[in-house]
Amino acid sequence: MKTTHALVLGFVAILIGQSWAAAQDFRGNTKNGQAVYEQHCLRCHGLALDGKGPDAPYLIVAPANLQTRKSRSKSDWELLVAVTHGVLFSPMHGWRGRLTDEQIKDVLAYIRLMAPFDAVS
């Protein structure tokens, strides 16, 4: 019984690990992503992705600093959801319908280029 239980737990761990890894694999064009970022994201998130864009001081809720360990530890899936659907109770609105799926993937690729994934230990 213990062997079966351990085997099932091992299988579940592999499945979870694979889905987590797959969530980290959004391929996009960083050059196109930079253009999208500069056009739509820079005013709030800033040139350095530090949340200090020119519009940031006028927002009630500060934009995310994408360079922090907390932001960099978010999975690509979490970032995709935030960009696509927005962030509740913040000025970050969803971009679905305003940007194409390809543009969203491109901007995520650019964000990861500038603020690489950094798993929290």
Side-chain angles (χ1 to χ4, degrees):
M1 183 68 172
K2 284 186 177 184
T3 304
T4 304
H5 184 67
L7 192 59
V8 169
L9 284 177
F11 183 69
V12 169
I14 289 170
L15 285 176
I16 291 172
Q18 286 179 337
S19 64
W20 178 84
Q24 298 305 307
D25 195 22
F26 287 102
R27 303 270 185 229
N29 182 306
T30 56
K31 199 99 163 138
N32 293 344
Q34 180 178 5
V36 172
Y37 180 89
E38 289 175 356
Q39 182 178 2
H40 298 290
C41 312
L42 184 137
R43 297 211 50 85
C44 295
H45 292 284
L47 189 59
L49 286 76
D50 58 3
K52 295 181 181 176
D55 291 349
Y58 306 105
L59 299 173
I60 294 172
V61 177
N65 176 347
L66 301 171
Q67 295 291 356
T68 65
R69 181 92 189 260
K70 179 181 176 185
S71 287
R72 291 176 45 219
S73 69
K74 290 184 179 183
S75 69
D76 287 355
W77 180 253
E78 289 173 290
L79 293 178
L80 178 72
V81 169
V83 172
T84 303
H85 300 291
V87 178
L88 196 58
F89 304 119
S90 83
M92 176 63 185
H93 55 81
W95 288 94
R96 168 140 285 149
R98 296 175 189 183
L99 298 176
T100 67
D101 290 344
E102 197 63 37
Q103 287 174 310
I104 291 172
K105 286 193 319 188
D106 291 347
V107 81
L108 287 173
Y110 177 70
I111 289 169
R112 283 300 189 213
L113 174 69
M114 299 299 291
F117 178 72
D118 186 10
V120 176
S121 304

